[in-house]
């Protein structure tokens, strides 16, 4: 079970990795995000995250790279904490768009991708697994 701080460190590493596309060092996390703990403490959290399969380090002195498990936890945490940041009128608009196409799975996936792209101001792709 991860501590609250370890989850926060993981989210910071994944977020920074998404932005920078380079391994993220513990010292960079300590410097950029002011967690109130030393880089050594963050390194201890990184070791725990690596042992739990959330991160990997290409070599001992390298920064951290998120693994699938780390991305999954990041996405779950982001959706839990950031939904309230979407203005109510935007949430209502999204709800109406999704209701209009709820019976057609192909249209639903197109609308979902378009909504996601608007929310993140980037390209979004929505797919469904094959049966």
């Amino acid at each position: 079970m991860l501590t609250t701080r370890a989850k926060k460190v993981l989210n910071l590493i994944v977020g920074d990795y998404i932005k920078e596309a380079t391994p993220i060092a513990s010292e960079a996390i300590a410097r950029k995000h002011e967690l109130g703990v030393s880089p050594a403490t963050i390194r201890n959290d990184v070791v725990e995250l690596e042992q739990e399969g959330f991160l990997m380090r290409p070599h001992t002195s390298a920064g951290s790279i998120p693994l699938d498990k780390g991305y999954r936890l990041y996405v779950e945490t982001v959706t839990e904490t950031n939904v309230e940041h979407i203005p109510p009128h935007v949430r209502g608009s999204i709800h109406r768009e999704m209701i209009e196409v709820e019976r057609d799975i192909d249209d639903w996936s197109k609308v979902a991708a378009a909504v996601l792209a608007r929310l993140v101001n980037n390209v979004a792709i929505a797919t469904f697994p094959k049966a």
Side-chain angles (χ1 to χ4, degrees), residues 8-112:
K8 185 169 186 154
V9 167
L10 174 64
N11 285 339
L12 293 171
I13 289 170
V14 174
D16 286 357
Y17 186 79
I18 290 169
K19 291 175 193 161
E20 299 172 18
T22 61
I24 306 301
S26 303
E27 287 161 19
I29 294 294
R31 192 175 51 252
K32 276 174 73 174
H33 299 288
E34 300 177 20
L35 295 175
V37 296
S38 70
T41 301
I42 293 172
R43 272 191 294 279
N44 290 336
D45 290 335
V46 167
V47 168
E48 177 187 357
L49 291 165
E50 187 176 23
Q51 290 171 345
E52 294 287 330
F54 293 98
L55 301 172
M56 70 165 277
R57 290 181 294 166
H59 50 85
T60 308
S61 63
S64 301
I65 298 172
L67 297 173
D68 288 346
K69 189 175 176 181
Y71 282 116
R72 281 190 203 109
L73 185 63
Y74 175 79
V75 169
E76 289 169 7
T77 305
V78 168
T79 57
E80 287 172 3
T81 58
N82 289 336
V83 169
E84 55 274 356
H85 296 296
I86 300 172
H89 71 280
V90 173
R91 284 195 305 246
S93 173
I94 292 168
H95 181 74
R96 284 188 297 279
E97 286 181 69
M98 299 307 288
I99 291 293
E100 287 177 17
V101 295
E102 71 181 336
R103 300 212 188 276
D104 184 339
I105 195 73
D106 291 328
D107 286 346
W108 191 92
S109 64
K110 290 174 188 172
V111 170

